Amino acid sequence: MMHKQGESWASVNVICPFYRGDSDKDKTICCEGIFDGTDTIARFAKISSRNEHMHKYCMSYAFKDCKVHKSIYLARYANNAEEKMSKIETAISQMEAWAADDSHGYDQQYRWGEYGDFDCSSAVIQAWELAGVPVKFSGATYTGNMRGVFLRCGFEDVTSRIDLASGSGLQRGDVMLNHQHHTAMYCGNGQEVEASINENGGTTGGQPGDQTGREFLIRPYRNYPWDCVLRYTGANSGSTEDKPTRPGPTYEYSVRLGLLKEGMEDAQVKTVQVLLAAKGYEPGQADGIMGEATVGAVRAFQENSGLLADGEVGGDTWAALLKK
């Protein structure tokens, strides 16, 4: 198809021009082209007034006839000299659009939009990723690691400036985070948007899409309670600081380590063999069998560590092996 000279065009995976006429039919064809592909983000290199009109049209109308999944509809576009739509606005608008669309519900098993659903953290992470802030690419996966990754991607912790009880001080697009349980984004005007819970009051096993109108919703602000508030400033501080403003989750693991003797075959024997080899001993092949070579290496390690050199791996030997 021919396109008009002087106008800018969308790129979908590869440079591919699409005709934009004045009729609804032509606009719908353009929408189908722009949003063709599961993970495609339509990028506009330059923005004319007609392009901006087209973007607004896509937001409100494109999926009346398009066949692709609605979760990817929000196009990201920017002028080289001036962004027409800030990353903050793109991210929060995406969240609001998902909440307004009943094809998006809540699920923790299929949480990245495979069937249209998200959980609280994947929704916020994906919205910012689509806005051009690479938090997902940088490793954000759940509420427990969001703060550190977001800080490294241009966010600032503004908790000290916020009255969490009332929400005073919050700005549109702020990310509110409880390190263990929940996250949401602030819409402005006393409203927040979030993926909440499935139709059964659980986290998995529901039907795709919002079955109740409250799985993915916009609701009045409340203090969940929030541990911190993150605000996108675009400044890349390079900070690796990952200590929450308030104490985050602490995980303790208890592992039962058995008494290992000659002739035994066990996965823990393989662990011992790997640890011995890392410390410069020669336990033989890491095959999980407490053979002669492994027992000899254990004895040598015990002697050098001031332990009873009986060739058996008990509590004291485990403790010594696991020291850095």
Side-chain angles (χ1 to χ4, degrees):
M1 293 183 180
M2 297 293 292
H3 60 79
K4 297 181 180 181
Q5 186 175 5
E7 293 185 342
S8 48
W9 302 91
S11 300
V12 184
N13 294 331
V14 295
I15 301 301
C16 185
F18 295 93
Y19 174 76
R20 293 195 303 108
D22 293 326
S23 70
D24 285 353
K25 179 179 179 182
D26 288 331
K27 290 175 180 177
T28 303
I29 291 172
C30 183
C31 292
E32 289 175 347
I34 290 174
F35 297 100
D36 182 19
T38 304
D39 296 313
T40 300
I41 298 176
R43 301 170 183 268
F44 287 86
K46 296 180 180 179
I47 305 300
S48 68
S49 60
R50 287 175 59 84
N51 286 116
E52 186 172 355
H53 171 75
M54 184 60 204
H55 174 75
K56 293 177 180 177
Y57 183 91
C58 289
M59 288 178 64
S60 63
Y61 193 73
F63 285 95
K64 180 176 181 181
D65 298 307
C66 287
K67 298 178 180 178
V68 297
H69 206 283
K70 297 180 183 180
S71 66
I72 56 141
Y73 85 94
L74 190 59
R76 178 159 60 88
Y77 68 106
N79 187 287
N80 288 336
E82 178 183 1
E83 281 195 284
K84 290 289 185 177
M85 187 177 195
S86 72
K87 292 177 180 179
I88 295 173
E89 186 60 31
T90 304
I92 186 63
S93 294
Q94 181 66 87
M95 287 287 288
E96 291 169 334
W98 281 332
D101 183 346
D102 286 344
S103 67
H104 302 295
Y106 184 97
D107 190 61
Q108 280 191 358
Q109 183 175 3
Y110 299 103
R111 58 192 291 261
W112 294 106
E114 297 94 330
Y115 299 102
D117 292 347
F118 298 90
D119 67 5
C120 64
S121 56
S122 67
V124 172
I125 292 166
Q126 188 77 352
W128 282 104
E129 189 80 13
L130 290 174
V133 183
V135 289
K136 184 178 179 183
F137 178 82
S138 300
T141 56
Y142 77 117
T143 55
N145 65 15
M146 281 176 62
R147 182 179 182 274
V149 176
F150 275 51
L151 290 179
R152 292 190 291 273
C153 290
F155 285 78
E156 180 183 353
D157 189 325
V158 297
T159 314
S160 62
R161 306 177 209 169
I162 310 299
D163 182 347
L164 294 176
S166 67
S168 176
L170 286 168
Q171 295 181 11
R172 180 168 169 81
D174 283 351
V175 175
M176 302 167 295
L177 180 64
N178 178 291
H179 300 297
Q180 285 188 291
H181 299 298
H182 195 49
T183 185
M185 284 180 67
Y186 188 68
C187 303
N189 299 317
Q191 300 288 304
E192 65 184 65
V193 58
E194 63 192 40
S196 178
I197 204 74
N198 73 14
E199 71 270 27
N200 301 317
T203 59
T204 61
Q207 295 297 313
D210 194 336
Q211 306 299 314
T212 64
R214 296 189 62 80
E215 292 188 39
F216 202 136
L217 77 160
I218 296 173
R219 58 175 296 160
Y221 169 81
R222 90 288 198 207
N223 185 11
Y224 180 80
W226 306 119
D227 294 320
C228 67
V229 176
L230 307 176
R231 178 172 297 162
Y232 184 72
T233 63
N236 188 0
S237 65
S239 171
T240 58
E241 185 273 326
D242 194 15
K243 186 182 295 183
T245 303
R246 301 179 187 181
T250 300
Y251 301 99
E252 295 182 0
Y253 299 91
S254 297
V255 180
R256 187 182 298 276
L257 299 173
L259 174 62
L260 305 179
K261 300 183 179 183
E262 185 172 5
M264 294 180 64
E265 184 173 351
D266 189 271
Q268 290 187 8
V269 175
K270 186 174 182 179
T271 300
V272 168
Q273 292 167 329
V274 171
L275 290 170
L276 286 168
K279 293 179 181 294
Y281 295 88
E282 298 181 0
Q285 184 179 354
D287 55 7
I289 301 173
M290 196 77 171
E292 183 178 347
T294 302
V295 172
V298 170
R299 284 199 180 100
F301 172 75
Q302 290 170 327
E303 289 175 357
N304 292 332
S305 302
L307 302 172
L308 175 64
D310 59 4
E312 298 180 356
V313 182
D316 291 340
T317 303
W318 271 117
L321 281 170
L322 291 170
K323 283 184 180 179
K324 291 184 178 181

